Amino acid sequence: MRIRETKPTLAVSVLTLLVLFALAFSPVHAQQPDPLPSWAEGPTKSAIIQFVQSVTEKGGKDYVPPEDRIATFDNDGTLWVEQPMYTQLLFAFDRVKELAPHHPEWKTKQPFKALLEGDMKTVGASGMKGVMEIVMATHSGMTATEFEKTVTNWLATHKQPRFKRLYTECVYQPQLEFLTYLRANGFKAFIVSGGGIQFMRPWTEKVYGIPPEQVVGSSVVTEFQIKDGKPVLVRMPKIDFINDKAGKPVGIYEHIGRRPILAFGNADADMQMIQYTKAGKGRRLGLFVHHTDADREYAYDRDSHVGKLDKVLDIAAENNWIVVDMKRDWKQIFPQ
Amino acid sequence: MRIRETKPTLAVSVLTLLVLFALAFSPVHAQQPDPLPSWAEGPTKSAIIQFVQSVTEKGGKDYVPPEDRIATFDNDGTLWVEQPMYTQLLFAFDRVKELAPHHPEWKTKQPFKALLEGDMKTVGASGMKGVMEIVMATHSGMTATEFEKTVTNWLATHKQPRFKRLYTECVYQPQLEFLTYLRANGFKAFIVSGGGIQFMRPWTEKVYGIPPEQVVGSSVVTEFQIKDGKPVLVRMPKIDFINDKAGKPVGIYEHIGRRPILAFGNADADMQMIQYTKAGKGRRLGLFVHHTDADREYAYDRDSHVGKLDKVLDIAAENNWIVVDMKRDWKQIFPQ
């Protein structure tokens, strides 16, 4: 009798143990936390979640195998702040000031002279040609390793003027959540930016979780040389590729070799990337950030000198592109 | 007393259960199968295994975190057969024959005339200029999608003349095992080839487990166009980048953005990639396949018209580059 009383007790213990093991190794279905807590409830958030659910639902009509779950994100104005000016251009301006002692000729040569005198009107008047001279003077003539160190040091020591945060802290919290959500659903996310590819790579893994090999951008010609017996890569003062506008689908073709199923931009310059993405077969998602929040970030679109969003606003609806209204759709802008 | 007899029995059962669970979820240390069964025992295989063990041993002096475990492999002659001629060139020759009915002008235009008449001596005499004309005529003037289909169809229907296997079956079994071994140890393997990037991408994932975005190669200029209202990428008859010799480290910098810790080639044209790889800090491995097996594959090196291996043989030892002797080091050449 006493044995019979004992056996069930121990059997229950074994059962409990098994249940605990089973729980420890099984996915939790009930009460999943919101994967996008900084996104306000509404049609935008719903569209994103419905898209991700539909392409990951095995056996569903929109199912996409994990290897084809490619997502591309513009960087300036889509993942981080691009006002009052592209961060990379502010970097270039700063570098001219830092390098000026080694370049006495800049005292008389435009647009360097104007930049050193703080005459930004003249710098602006020098147009794309002048700006490219500044970019070339600060982005070439050094090894790849030296350039990487310079970028890393600058970003670690300079702050965005309005928010008084490092530029790498002026990234959008809702997008960090979106990237994490995509990764958790088997997506591979790439940056596809008009910005310099090697200006982004030193920090994208730490900040966005996007490794260097998943960053596509504009580039200068680079040469392999043996210097003092050591093999080095030297950055040359010549544009190799401009990864902007119609260049973005080309950059995607060259670097990724697959058509994205989701693309996210914020400007007319991202339109071709979204068109290329949406032209593929099956379900696709194209999104644009619309900067509508002057209080928490910036408000700009059709007339902006950076991130001009004009034509997209006219034709987004007819193309089923989602325009994310920053003020309405994002509960929080920056990470805390 | 009887309870005391029973309890230990049940306790033993619980213990057995726990041990079984523990075994089911723990790595097996004893009697691990050989990860490289097609590699003959000897110094080459030992060097590979010691390298992988040293860079993956947590707390070891040579430890490399997973994100930096980048390995790059040449393709022609390193992962698949490159004799009697580069597969891509055989593809181009075949395409000229297939496209000839649409190009009556080729009947009188060299080197097309010679190629169509089977006069390979004249084709060869046309040199790099003539060969590039053939490559351009067959690799441009179509959309990216059309080119991908053409490559896929050709590879599915043409066989390597000596081995009577599809070209994608003329891949080296020891290298397939090496790639699997590297992946199992947290490496990310890339192809870095002088061959056309878009000629490789349609099949590298299926054949090598290397996805398109991890393939680096030579390219033609590509343009984004809207054709009949549809966005397409059109391949233009102009070289964009030659990913060979000193171009390989540049291709690695542009596409990967990290320096490999392991690189594998088979020709002098891979030397700069190995130099660049080995010039990084910490433990690095550089390897070359030496084709020494005329019976099972081919034997060629210093005087070969493809995959010339000359200077490397002279300076490999002083640079600690490993020269893999195909005949001695590979027990099996192709998959069964």
Side-chain angles (χ1 to χ4, degrees):
Chain A
M1 254 314 270
R2 289 173 85 178
I3 292 168
R4 281 190 183 169
E5 276 174 12
T6 312
K7 263 183 172 164
T9 311
L10 279 171
V12 166
S13 296
V14 173
L15 196 67
T16 309
L17 205 67
L18 283 170
V19 168
L20 285 172
F21 263 101
L23 280 174
F25 293 101
S26 76
V28 177
H29 286 288
Q31 290 180 312
Q32 277 190 329
D34 182 354
L36 302 172
S38 299
W39 288 75
E41 298 303 324
T44 302
K45 182 172 179 170
S46 297
I48 289 172
I49 289 178
Q50 276 167 23
F51 174 80
V52 171
Q53 286 177 344
S54 74
V55 297
T56 54
E57 188 197 340
K58 274 203 173 169
K61 71 176 172 48
D62 297 322
Y63 180 74
V64 175
E67 63 270 22
D68 289 326
R69 292 180 202 157
I70 303 291
T72 55
F73 285 75
D74 168 61
N75 186 43
D76 297 308
T78 300
L79 294 178
W80 78 347
V81 169
E82 63 181 347
Q83 296 279 8
M85 179 50 68
Y86 298 122
T87 305
Q88 190 174 1
L89 218 47
L90 297 174
F91 162 80
F93 293 166
D94 261 11
R95 288 296 294 157
V96 166
K97 290 167 198 161
E98 288 164 26
L99 292 168
H102 307 284
H103 291 272
E105 76 278 12
W106 286 352
K107 278 183 189 158
T108 54
K109 190 185 174 189
Q110 293 295 14
F112 300 95
K113 179 173 182 290
L115 182 58
L116 293 171
E117 290 166 354
D119 173 9
M120 295 313 288
K121 205 174 154 187
T122 301
V123 173
S126 73
M128 184 53 96
K129 188 174 169 289
V131 168
M132 282 314 296
E133 277 186 62
I134 289 171
V135 169
M136 282 303 137
T138 53
H139 285 67
S140 67
M142 73 288 281
T143 68
T145 308
E146 286 162 358
F147 183 68
E148 183 182 337
K149 273 184 202 158
T150 307
V151 170
T152 303
N153 289 343
W154 188 85
L155 285 170
T157 49
H158 290 74
K159 292 188 173 179
Q160 204 272 357
R162 175 172 162 198
F163 300 111
K164 317 286 183 215
R165 291 166 157 243
L166 295 178
Y167 289 96
T168 50
E169 294 167 347
C170 293
V171 295
Y172 304 130
Q173 175 63 23
Q175 300 290 55
L176 298 181
E177 293 167 8
F178 194 11
L179 289 170
T180 302
Y181 177 51
L182 288 174
R183 273 191 289 271
N185 282 281
F187 279 76
K188 209 175 207 179
F190 290 76
I191 290 174
V192 176
S193 167
I197 188 167
Q198 309 296 357
F199 181 76
M200 297 181 279
R201 283 174 162 169
W203 51 273
T204 55
E205 184 151 38
K206 197 175 152 200
V207 174
Y208 303 134
I210 296 179
E213 60 269 26
Q214 285 164 227
V215 176
V216 184
S218 299
S219 55
V220 297
V221 170
T222 305
E223 272 187 21
F224 177 80
Q225 299 178 0
I226 306 283
K227 263 193 177 175
D228 306 325
K230 298 245 175 203
V232 290
L233 292 169
V234 180
R235 295 171 57 87
M236 310 302 286
K238 192 183 166 196
I239 288 291
D240 174 47
F241 184 67
I242 299 289
N243 190 62
D244 209 23
K245 303 185 179 80
K248 288 203 175 191
V250 174
I252 289 170
Y253 179 54
E254 291 303 331
H255 276 260
I256 308 177
R258 305 192 213 243
R259 197 191 295 256
I261 64 167
L262 182 160
F264 209 143
N266 77 303
D268 283 2
D270 298 309
M271 200 171 60
Q272 290 89 343
M273 172 169 77
I274 309 283
Q275 287 173 323
Y276 177 63
T277 299
K278 296 268 292 183
K281 280 177 199 158
R283 195 163 174 179
R284 310 260 159 172
L285 195 66
L287 307 111
F288 291 86
V289 180
H290 188 189
H291 293 262
T292 52
D293 197 329
D295 292 335
R296 295 185 302 165
E297 202 244 8
Y298 295 95
Y300 58 99
D301 45 38
R302 295 181 191 272
D303 301 316
S304 179
H305 65 298
V306 292
K308 181 174 172 171
L309 187 74
D310 183 27
K311 193 174 176 191
V312 165
L313 291 178
D314 295 335
I315 63 171
E318 69 196 67
N319 284 285
N320 275 321
W321 300 336
I322 294 178
V323 177
V324 177
D325 184 320
M326 183 181 265
K327 193 170 187 169
R328 179 196 67 193
D329 291 325
W330 287 1
K331 293 198 289 192
Q332 184 183 332
I333 307 291
F334 301 124
Q336 254 146 12
Chain B
M1 257 313 270
R2 290 174 85 180
I3 292 169
R4 282 191 184 166
E5 277 173 13
T6 311
K7 262 183 174 165
T9 309
L10 281 170
V12 166
S13 297
V14 172
L15 196 67
T16 307
L17 206 67
L18 283 170
V19 168
L20 285 171
F21 263 101
L23 280 174
F25 293 101
S26 77
V28 177
H29 286 288
Q31 291 180 313
Q32 277 190 328
D34 182 355
L36 302 172
S38 299
W39 289 75
E41 298 305 323
T44 303
K45 182 171 179 171
S46 297
I48 289 172
I49 290 178
Q50 275 166 24
F51 174 80
V52 171
Q53 285 177 343
S54 74
V55 298
T56 55
E57 188 199 341
K58 274 201 174 170
K61 69 175 174 47
D62 297 321
Y63 180 74
V64 174
E67 63 270 24
D68 289 326
R69 292 181 202 156
I70 303 291
T72 55
F73 285 76
D74 168 60
N75 187 42
D76 297 308
T78 300
L79 294 179
W80 77 350
V81 169
E82 64 181 347
Q83 295 280 6
M85 179 49 67
Y86 298 123
T87 305
Q88 191 174 0
L89 217 48
L90 297 174
F91 161 80
F93 293 167
D94 261 10
R95 288 296 294 156
V96 166
K97 289 167 199 163
E98 288 165 26
L99 293 168
H102 306 285
H103 291 272
E105 75 278 12
W106 286 351
K107 279 184 190 160
T108 52
K109 190 184 173 188
Q110 294 292 15
F112 300 95
K113 180 174 180 288
L115 182 58
L116 292 172
E117 290 166 354
D119 173 9
M120 296 313 287
K121 205 174 155 186
T122 302
V123 173
S126 74
M128 184 53 97
K129 188 174 168 291
V131 168
M132 282 315 296
E133 278 185 63
I134 289 171
V135 169
M136 282 304 138
T138 52
H139 286 66
S140 67
M142 74 287 282
T143 68
T145 308
E146 286 161 358
F147 183 68
E148 183 182 337
K149 272 184 204 160
T150 306
V151 170
T152 302
N153 289 343
W154 188 84
L155 285 170
T157 48
H158 290 72
K159 292 188 174 179
Q160 204 273 356
R162 176 172 162 198
F163 300 111
K164 317 285 183 215
R165 292 165 157 243
L166 295 177
Y167 290 96
T168 50
E169 293 167 348
C170 293
V171 297
Y172 304 129
Q173 175 63 21
Q175 300 289 54
L176 298 181
E177 293 167 9
F178 194 10
L179 289 170
T180 302
Y181 177 51
L182 288 173
R183 273 190 289 271
N185 281 281
F187 279 75
K188 209 175 205 179
F190 290 75
I191 291 173
V192 176
S193 166
I197 189 167
Q198 308 297 357
F199 181 76
M200 297 181 279
R201 282 173 163 170
W203 52 272
T204 55
E205 185 151 36
K206 197 174 151 201
V207 174
Y208 303 133
I210 296 179
E213 60 269 27
Q214 286 165 223
V215 176
V216 184
S218 298
S219 56
V220 297
V221 169
T222 304
E223 271 187 22
F224 178 81
Q225 299 178 1
I226 306 284
K227 264 193 175 174
D228 307 325
K230 298 246 176 201
V232 290
L233 292 169
V234 180
R235 295 171 57 86
M236 310 302 286
K238 194 183 165 196
I239 288 289
D240 174 46
F241 183 67
I242 299 288
N243 190 62
D244 208 22
K245 302 187 179 80
K248 288 204 173 189
V250 173
I252 290 170
Y253 179 55
E254 290 304 330
H255 276 260
I256 309 176
R258 307 193 213 242
R259 195 190 296 254
I261 64 167
L262 183 159
F264 210 142
N266 78 303
D268 284 1
D270 298 309
M271 200 171 58
Q272 291 90 342
M273 171 170 78
I274 309 283
Q275 288 173 323
Y276 177 63
T277 299
K278 296 270 290 185
K281 282 178 198 158
R283 194 163 174 180
R284 309 263 159 170
L285 195 66
L287 307 111
F288 291 87
V289 179
H290 187 187
H291 293 262
T292 51
D293 198 329
D295 291 334
R296 295 185 302 166
E297 203 243 10
Y298 296 94
Y300 57 99
D301 45 38
R302 294 182 191 271
D303 301 316
S304 179
H305 65 298
V306 292
K308 182 176 174 171
L309 187 74
D310 182 26
K311 195 174 175 191
V312 165
L313 291 178
D314 295 334
I315 62 172
E318 69 196 69
N319 283 285
N320 274 320
W321 299 338
I322 294 177
V323 177
V324 177
D325 183 321
M326 182 181 265
K327 193 169 186 172
R328 179 194 67 192
D329 291 326
W330 286 2
K331 293 199 288 192
Q332 184 181 333
I333 306 291
F334 301 124
Q336 253 146 14

